[in-house]
Amino acid sequence: MAAEVVGAEWCGLRWTAIMLVTGFLVLASAQGTSLEQDDASSRYINGTQKFKSDNDLFTRMFNFLWQQGPRLWSYEHVWPEMKLGWKIVVGTVIGFLGAAFGTVGGVGGGGIFVPMLTLIIGFDQKSSTAISKCMITGAALSSVIYNLRLRHPTLDLPLIDYDLALLFQPMLVLGISIGVAFNVIFSDWMITALLIITFLGTSTRAFFKGIETWKKETIIKKEAARRQMQSNVDPREEVEYKPLPGGPSNGTPTEIRESKRTEVPIIENLYWRELQILVAVWVIILGLQISKNYTTTCSAAYWALNLLQIPVAFGVTTYEAVNLYKGHRVIASKGESNTDWKVHQLVLYSACGIIAGIVGGLLGLGGGFILGPVFLELGIPPQVSSATATFAMTFSASMSVIEYYLLRRFPIPYALYFAVVATLSAVVGQHVVRKVVIILGRASIIIFILALTIFVSAISLGGVGIADMVEKIEHKEYMGFDNICTYDA
């Protein structure tokens, strides 16, 4: 139970910290910003701007964050010509490495793809996000197909945990819809602040989780070597790799039945009932999203189609949560037959699914940046955590690709090329890392790759965001909230 409690508390505390820091940044920015235009809350006396109340911080904050009046504008996309050159070569190398590391860690690699497409290839930010989704989808889909042949490292189960996906995937998809709307409303500096705080916190937590797992693996390897010596076995023989049962967060080991099969036919690893439910959620919400694009923004039909996503996502997640609470279903990949789930834990984990989606939609990334660390906190083995996060991310990323295609948000030749690069890279990365884990006997390598990918994404995306923010400050551009009803991109 320690893993569930720690995971729930970590998810809730992190989101609370993000909100508090964002509020502080808003207050600080409002306090330090001088308003240049005359508006309803200020007046000029002897050529000097005076506020009705010199200490009215909240009025100044409102004026900083919200510019009154309509702000009709159209976004201009930048699509460079596709031709062989150093940009394509460098972009291919970075995309290959990003997809390899991203899929192994279960985060997709969007935090590396977007800066590469923007800074090196030359796309605008929104087109880079759309092509990044194509790359994430290709990499995630190939990883899922690869993982569908594999079994759980210690149990006779599929590597992908379908019950875990049922609990998180519907809320992840719903959260992405909310995050996309927030992406339009929030200013770039707010998104950058949220990104840096979230990614640095998540990567740090994952890094320490990797150290914890590494230490436990060391103890297991030493114990295995000692038993071999006592059994008069040749010490020069390699100690067989025994992954941590139940994941790194469990306080006490549980009795498990080790799987002797590492690979099986794909059909044997498919749980059709759970898969059908997940596909149904994907189809329904995708249909609502596509239908929404053919309505007038902020019309009654627009909001009705948005709100209809809520009962679909909540219905499936609630169904899974109730079954987990009553013991009718279990998160079997943990290696624990009976987990005493608490109501507040299931609520918090469902909220983490929404948060992962919101962050993914807000930043144009996959939700794996949040789901991966959360799964580890739950005590899920690293291999299962990575595979299940990638599985859930495939649904959300592919949904975004279809929407972007219908809206003509990316050039097809570029998208196809980089999607193929990411697809091939994901297979290579999964195969190589799997062999390394078996040879070294350390699944913690996957956690360190996860932490490294998130950290690099924080630096790259954060750097791009800060540079853009400085440029806007120099040009004295508006840096507050945007009106979603008058936005056109």
Side-chain angles (χ1 to χ4, degrees):
M1 289 304 300
E4 288 86 350
V5 174
V6 172
E9 291 179 350
W10 174 73
C11 184
L13 289 174
R14 182 182 57 185
W15 192 245
T16 302
I18 291 173
M19 293 296 99
L20 289 174
V21 174
T22 304
F24 172 78
L25 290 173
V26 169
L27 290 171
S29 301
Q31 180 70 30
T33 303
S34 59
L35 301 176
E36 298 182 355
Q37 69 273 17
D38 186 12
D39 54 28
S41 65
S42 63
R43 55 193 175 92
Y44 283 87
I45 299 177
N46 296 329
T48 303
Q49 185 183 40
K50 296 291 185 180
F51 288 91
K52 293 179 180 179
S53 173
D54 290 336
N55 296 322
D56 193 355
L57 176 59
F58 290 102
T59 300
R60 300 174 67 184
M61 181 177 67
F62 176 81
N63 288 318
F64 171 77
L65 292 176
W66 190 266
Q67 188 180 74
Q68 298 180 359
R71 299 182 63 249
L72 297 173
W73 57 286
S74 180
Y75 188 86
E76 182 179 354
H77 293 277
V78 179
W79 294 357
E81 181 183 357
M82 188 173 185
K83 58 182 180 180
L84 182 61
W86 71 269
K87 292 184 177 181
I88 289 289
V89 174
V90 175
T92 300
V93 173
I94 295 177
F96 188 91
L97 295 175
F101 282 93
T103 52
V104 168
V107 296
I112 297 174
F113 300 152
V114 173
M116 177 270 292
L117 292 166
T118 303
L119 300 178
I120 297 176
I121 306 299
F123 283 99
D124 63 280
Q125 184 74 20
K126 296 186 184 297
S127 297
S128 297
T129 299
I131 298 176
S132 170
K133 287 291 186 182
C134 297
M135 299 177 69
I136 293 173
T137 301
L141 186 59
S142 63
S143 294
V144 169
I145 295 174
Y146 181 87
N147 290 327
L148 280 175
R149 300 182 298 109
L150 305 178
R151 302 293 284 179
H152 190 287
T154 59
L155 302 172
D156 192 17
L157 295 169
L159 186 63
I160 297 173
D161 191 320
Y162 291 91
D163 283 297
L164 197 61
L166 269 177
L167 182 64
F168 283 90
Q169 185 259 1
M171 306 306 280
L172 173 68
V173 175
L174 175 63
I176 284 179
S177 298
I178 300 173
V180 169
F182 283 174
N183 180 270
V184 174
I185 297 172
F186 284 11
S187 178
D188 290 342
W189 70 268
M190 303 176 195
I191 296 176
T192 300
L194 287 173
L195 182 149
I196 294 175
I197 296 168
T198 303
F199 280 18
L200 288 181
T202 304
S203 62
T204 302
R205 182 71 182 183
F207 177 75
F208 284 114
K209 180 61 64 177
I211 294 177
E212 175 188 344
T213 307
W214 179 282
K215 291 179 179 178
K216 291 187 176 183
E217 288 170 338
T218 301
I219 295 174
I220 291 176
K221 288 173 72 69
K222 289 181 178 179
E223 178 65 19
R226 185 183 64 80
R227 290 180 179 179
Q228 281 189 333
M229 294 292 293
Q230 292 178 348
S231 302
N232 295 323
V233 178
D234 187 352
R236 291 173 296 180
E237 294 184 4
E238 182 180 1
V239 178
E240 182 183 0
Y241 170 49
K242 306 271 189 190
L244 289 174
S249 294
N250 288 354
T252 58
T254 56
E255 191 68 26
I256 61 173
R257 180 165 55 90
E258 185 178 355
S259 173
K260 299 299 182 183
R261 301 178 300 168
T262 58
E263 295 187 20
V264 297
I266 291 179
I267 195 71
E268 190 173 336
N269 271 342
L270 289 175
Y271 285 14
W272 290 104
R273 184 168 176 270
E274 290 80 359
L275 185 61
Q276 288 172 356
I277 295 175
L278 292 170
V279 172
V281 172
W282 181 84
V283 171
I284 293 172
I285 294 186
L286 176 62
L288 293 173
Q289 288 284 356
I290 293 175
S291 301
K292 184 185 69 175
N293 293 329
Y294 294 95
T295 63
T296 303
T297 305
C298 291
S299 64
Y302 175 89
W303 292 116
L305 291 170
N306 270 311
L307 293 175
L308 282 175
Q309 299 176 47
I310 297 177
V312 176
F314 270 87
V316 175
T317 296
T318 302
Y319 164 79
E320 178 66 18
V322 169
N323 280 305
L324 288 172
Y325 178 73
K326 292 183 177 181
H328 298 161
R329 305 184 74 91
V330 295
I331 304 297
S333 62
K334 295 183 61 178
E336 299 176 0
S337 57
N338 295 306
T339 300
D340 185 16
W341 290 97
K342 304 298 183 183
V343 174
H344 73 277
Q345 292 171 350
L346 292 169
V347 171
L348 280 175
Y349 290 142
S350 300
C352 285
I354 295 183
I355 292 171
I358 292 175
V359 173
L362 186 65
L363 307 178
L365 308 173
F369 283 94
I370 306 297
L371 288 186
V374 170
F375 289 169
L376 292 174
E377 293 294 332
L378 268 170
I380 306 299
Q383 301 97 315
V384 181
S385 171
S386 171
T388 306
T390 302
F391 178 67
M393 193 168 53
T394 303
F395 291 95
S396 58
S398 59
M399 181 181 299
S400 299
V401 169
I402 294 175
E403 290 187 65
Y404 285 138
Y405 171 76
L406 294 176
L407 295 173
R408 300 179 180 179
R409 294 288 177 86
F410 57 79
I412 295 178
Y414 263 114
L416 285 175
Y417 173 74
F418 280 112
V420 170
V421 170
T423 300
L424 297 176
S425 172
V427 175
V428 173
Q430 291 281 356
H431 182 74
V432 170
V433 171
R434 179 168 173 257
K435 294 297 183 182
V436 171
V437 168
I438 293 175
I439 292 173
L440 298 181
R442 294 187 181 275
S444 55
I445 293 174
I446 298 175
I447 305 179
F448 287 123
I449 291 175
L450 168 66
L452 176 64
T453 306
I454 297 177
F455 179 76
V456 172
S457 300
I459 300 301
S460 58
L461 284 175
V464 172
I466 292 174
D468 180 67
M469 181 172 60
V470 171
E471 182 179 354
K472 286 189 175 183
I473 292 175
E474 291 177 348
H475 291 84
K476 298 181 180 179
E477 296 181 21
Y478 175 69
M479 296 177 63
F481 291 110
D482 284 316
N483 189 341
I484 192 173
C485 297
T486 59
Y487 178 84
D488 180 22

